[in-house]
Amino acid sequence: RDAKQFDPRNREVGHALADLELESENWEAALKAYQGLAIQADNNEGDVRSQAELYLRMGQARHGLGEGGKARQMIDRALELDPTYVDAARFLVELAEGPVRKVEARQRLLGVLEAEYQSFDAEDDRREAREQELLDLRLDLATTLADELNRPDEAVVALRAVIEARPEDISLLHRAL
Protein backbone atom coordinates (compact mmCIF):
# COMPACT_ATOMS: atom_id res chain seq x y z
CA ARG A 1 0.00 0.00 0.00
CA ASP A 2 2.86 2.39 0.69
CA ALA A 3 4.11 1.87 -2.86
CA LYS A 4 0.87 3.39 -4.18
CA GLN A 5 1.92 6.68 -2.64
CA PHE A 6 5.01 6.60 -4.86
CA ASP A 7 5.24 8.80 -7.94
CA PRO A 8 2.26 7.77 -10.12
CA ARG A 9 4.13 8.85 -13.24
CA ASN A 10 6.78 6.18 -12.69
CA ARG A 11 5.71 3.56 -15.26
CA GLU A 12 7.86 0.78 -13.82
CA VAL A 13 6.35 1.13 -10.37
CA GLY A 14 2.86 1.46 -11.84
CA HIS A 15 3.36 -1.65 -13.94
CA ALA A 16 4.72 -3.64 -10.99
CA LEU A 17 1.75 -2.61 -8.85
CA ALA A 18 -0.72 -3.50 -11.60
CA ASP A 19 0.95 -6.91 -12.00
CA LEU A 20 0.69 -7.48 -8.24
CA GLU A 21 -3.01 -6.62 -8.29
CA LEU A 22 -3.55 -9.04 -11.17
CA GLU A 23 -1.60 -11.83 -9.47
CA SER A 24 -3.60 -11.21 -6.27
CA GLU A 25 -6.80 -11.47 -8.30
CA ASN A 26 -7.81 -7.94 -7.35
CA TRP A 27 -9.40 -7.65 -10.76
CA GLU A 28 -10.95 -4.19 -10.43
CA ALA A 29 -7.77 -2.61 -9.03
CA ALA A 30 -5.65 -4.34 -11.69
CA LEU A 31 -7.93 -3.15 -14.47
CA LYS A 32 -7.82 0.45 -13.26
CA ALA A 33 -4.04 0.32 -12.92
CA TYR A 34 -3.57 -1.08 -16.43
CA GLN A 35 -6.04 1.44 -17.86
CA GLY A 36 -3.98 4.24 -16.35
CA LEU A 37 -0.83 2.78 -17.84
CA ALA A 38 -2.54 2.44 -21.23
CA ILE A 39 -3.51 6.12 -21.15
CA GLN A 40 0.08 7.05 -20.36
CA ALA A 41 1.30 4.78 -23.16
CA ASP A 42 -1.12 6.35 -25.65
CA ASN A 43 0.20 9.78 -24.73
CA ASN A 44 3.82 8.68 -24.95
CA GLU A 45 3.33 6.29 -27.88
CA GLY A 46 5.52 3.55 -26.35
CA ASP A 47 6.55 0.46 -28.21
CA VAL A 48 3.81 -1.66 -29.73
CA ARG A 49 4.53 -4.85 -27.75
CA SER A 50 4.28 -2.98 -24.44
CA GLN A 51 0.93 -1.51 -25.46
CA ALA A 52 -0.31 -4.92 -26.61
CA GLU A 53 0.78 -6.40 -23.28
CA LEU A 54 -1.30 -3.80 -21.44
CA TYR A 55 -4.36 -4.82 -23.44
CA LEU A 56 -3.66 -8.49 -22.69
CA ARG A 57 -3.48 -7.72 -18.98
CA MET A 58 -6.68 -5.67 -19.14
CA GLY A 59 -8.30 -8.62 -20.90
CA GLN A 60 -7.15 -10.94 -18.12
CA ALA A 61 -8.60 -8.57 -15.52
CA ARG A 62 -11.88 -8.31 -17.45
CA HIS A 63 -12.01 -12.10 -17.61
CA GLY A 64 -11.46 -12.25 -13.85
CA LEU A 65 -14.40 -9.88 -13.44
CA GLY A 66 -16.56 -12.24 -15.50
CA GLU A 67 -16.69 -9.88 -18.48
CA GLY A 68 -15.89 -12.33 -21.28
CA GLY A 69 -17.02 -10.11 -24.15
CA LYS A 70 -14.95 -7.15 -22.96
CA ALA A 71 -12.01 -9.46 -22.33
CA ARG A 72 -12.16 -10.65 -25.95
CA GLN A 73 -12.28 -7.01 -27.12
CA MET A 74 -9.11 -6.28 -25.15
CA ILE A 75 -7.36 -9.30 -26.65
CA ASP A 76 -8.50 -8.36 -30.14
CA ARG A 77 -7.00 -4.91 -29.57
CA ALA A 78 -3.74 -6.47 -28.35
CA LEU A 79 -3.56 -8.53 -31.54
CA GLU A 80 -4.40 -5.49 -33.68
CA LEU A 81 -1.45 -3.70 -32.14
CA ASP A 82 0.86 -6.71 -32.42
CA PRO A 83 -0.38 -9.49 -34.72
CA THR A 84 2.58 -11.66 -33.65
CA TYR A 85 1.77 -11.60 -29.92
CA VAL A 86 1.55 -15.31 -29.11
CA ASP A 87 0.49 -14.85 -25.46
CA ALA A 88 -2.54 -12.81 -26.53
CA ALA A 89 -3.53 -15.39 -29.14
CA ARG A 90 -3.20 -18.18 -26.56
CA PHE A 91 -5.42 -16.27 -24.13
CA LEU A 92 -7.99 -15.80 -26.88
CA VAL A 93 -8.14 -19.61 -27.15
CA GLU A 94 -8.68 -19.82 -23.38
CA LEU A 95 -11.56 -17.35 -23.61
CA ALA A 96 -13.29 -19.13 -26.48
CA GLU A 97 -16.58 -20.76 -25.59
CA GLY A 98 -18.23 -23.32 -27.83
CA PRO A 99 -16.73 -25.25 -30.72
CA VAL A 100 -17.17 -22.52 -33.35
CA ARG A 101 -15.40 -19.85 -31.30
CA LYS A 102 -12.71 -22.34 -30.27
CA VAL A 103 -12.02 -23.12 -33.92
CA GLU A 104 -11.86 -19.41 -34.78
CA ALA A 105 -9.51 -18.73 -31.87
CA ARG A 106 -7.30 -21.71 -32.72
CA GLN A 107 -7.12 -20.60 -36.35
CA ARG A 108 -6.01 -17.18 -35.21
CA LEU A 109 -3.42 -18.76 -32.90
CA LEU A 110 -2.25 -20.91 -35.79
CA GLY A 111 -1.65 -17.81 -37.89
CA VAL A 112 0.28 -16.10 -35.10
CA LEU A 113 2.40 -19.21 -34.44
CA GLU A 114 3.12 -19.63 -38.17
CA ALA A 115 4.27 -16.02 -38.42
CA GLU A 116 6.52 -16.49 -35.41
CA TYR A 117 7.87 -19.77 -36.81
CA GLN A 118 8.72 -18.06 -40.10
CA SER A 119 10.62 -15.37 -38.22
CA PHE A 120 12.98 -17.92 -36.61
CA ASP A 121 16.40 -18.46 -38.17
CA ALA A 122 17.13 -21.97 -39.44
CA GLU A 123 19.47 -22.53 -36.48
CA ASP A 124 17.00 -21.28 -33.86
CA ASP A 125 16.48 -23.86 -31.12
CA ARG A 126 12.80 -22.94 -30.85
CA ARG A 127 11.95 -24.03 -34.41
CA GLU A 128 11.47 -27.72 -33.67
CA ALA A 129 9.21 -27.14 -30.67
CA ARG A 130 7.14 -24.57 -32.55
CA GLU A 131 6.84 -26.90 -35.56
CA GLN A 132 5.53 -29.67 -33.30
CA GLU A 133 3.09 -27.27 -31.67
CA LEU A 134 1.81 -26.22 -35.09
CA LEU A 135 1.29 -29.84 -36.11
CA ASP A 136 -0.52 -30.67 -32.87
CA LEU A 137 -2.72 -27.59 -33.22
CA ARG A 138 -3.61 -28.49 -36.81
CA LEU A 139 -4.51 -32.05 -35.75
CA ASP A 140 -6.65 -30.74 -32.91
CA LEU A 141 -8.29 -28.25 -35.23
CA ALA A 142 -9.03 -30.94 -37.82
CA THR A 143 -10.59 -33.17 -35.17
CA THR A 144 -12.84 -30.39 -33.92
CA LEU A 145 -13.83 -29.41 -37.46
CA ALA A 146 -14.70 -32.98 -38.42
CA ASP A 147 -16.17 -34.37 -35.20
CA GLU A 148 -17.86 -31.41 -33.53
CA LEU A 149 -18.72 -29.05 -36.39
CA ASN A 150 -19.24 -31.49 -39.25
CA ARG A 151 -17.01 -29.43 -41.56
CA PRO A 152 -15.04 -32.19 -43.28
CA ASP A 153 -13.68 -30.04 -46.13
CA GLU A 154 -11.94 -27.72 -43.69
CA ALA A 155 -10.72 -30.70 -41.66
CA VAL A 156 -9.13 -32.17 -44.77
CA VAL A 157 -7.29 -28.90 -45.44
CA ALA A 158 -5.88 -28.94 -41.90
CA LEU A 159 -4.86 -32.60 -42.20
CA ARG A 160 -3.27 -32.02 -45.59
CA ALA A 161 -1.06 -29.32 -44.04
CA VAL A 162 0.00 -31.79 -41.33
CA ILE A 163 0.89 -34.49 -43.84
CA GLU A 164 2.69 -32.04 -46.15
CA ALA A 165 4.81 -30.84 -43.24
CA ARG A 166 6.11 -34.34 -42.51
CA PRO A 167 5.21 -36.74 -45.32
CA GLU A 168 7.71 -39.37 -44.11
CA ASP A 169 6.38 -39.48 -40.55
CA ILE A 170 4.22 -42.61 -40.41
CA SER A 171 3.14 -42.05 -36.79
CA LEU A 172 1.91 -38.57 -37.69
CA LEU A 173 0.04 -39.99 -40.67
CA HIS A 174 -1.52 -42.58 -38.37
CA ARG A 175 -2.63 -39.87 -35.92
CA ALA A 176 -4.07 -37.85 -38.79
CA LEU A 177 -6.19 -40.78 -39.90
Side-chain angles (χ1 to χ4, degrees), residues 18-96:
D19 290 345
L20 285 172
E21 297 289 9
L22 190 67
E23 289 172 22
S24 300
E25 298 182 0
N26 294 328
W27 309 121
E28 191 72 40
L31 180 61
K32 286 180 182 179
Y34 288 123
Q35 286 172 332
L37 290 167
I39 291 169
Q40 287 179 357
D42 286 344
N43 292 338
N44 296 332
E45 297 190 21
D47 74 291
V48 172
R49 176 54 63 97
S50 294
Q51 289 180 20
E53 182 182 352
L54 289 174
Y55 280 95
L56 169 60
R57 300 289 182 248
M58 286 188 285
Q60 291 169 327
R62 292 273 187 199
H63 178 64
L65 289 167
E67 300 174 353
K70 290 182 180 180
R72 278 189 295 282
Q73 288 176 344
M74 297 289 107
I75 302 309
D76 285 339
R77 179 66 179 130
L79 288 167
E80 282 175 22
L81 288 166
D82 185 353
T84 65
Y85 194 15
V86 174
D87 291 343
R90 287 187 199 285
F91 192 62
L92 193 62
V93 171
E94 284 181 44
L95 291 174

Side-chain angles (χ1 to χ4, degrees), residues 53 79 140 148 155 157 177:
E53 182 182 352
L79 288 167
D140 184 49
E148 295 181 40
V157 170
L177 294 175

Side-chain angles (χ1 to χ4, degrees), residues 93 95-106 144 148-149:
V93 171
L95 291 174
E97 295 177 3
V100 172
R101 287 207 180 203
K102 285 182 181 181
V103 163
E104 291 168 353
R106 286 184 188 135
T144 302
E148 295 181 40
L149 296 178

Side-chain angles (χ1 to χ4, degrees), residues 136-149:
D136 291 342
L137 185 57
R138 283 188 178 102
L139 282 171
D140 184 49
L141 193 56
T143 301
T144 302
L145 285 165
D147 296 346
E148 295 181 40
L149 296 178

Side-chain angles (χ1 to χ4, degrees), residues 126-174:
R126 299 171 291 175
R127 281 183 72 85
E128 187 176 329
R130 185 63 75 232
E131 182 180 17
Q132 185 61 49
E133 183 178 7
L134 284 164
L135 292 173
D136 291 342
L137 185 57
R138 283 188 178 102
L139 282 171
D140 184 49
L141 193 56
T143 301
T144 302
L145 285 165
D147 296 346
E148 295 181 40
L149 296 178
N150 194 26
R151 290 164 46 185
D153 293 341
E154 292 175 67
V156 167
V157 170
L159 289 175
R160 186 174 292 136
V162 168
I163 293 168
E164 286 173 2
R166 290 195 186 156
E168 71 290 342
D169 190 339
I170 301 300
S171 66
L172 191 58
L173 181 59
H174 185 287

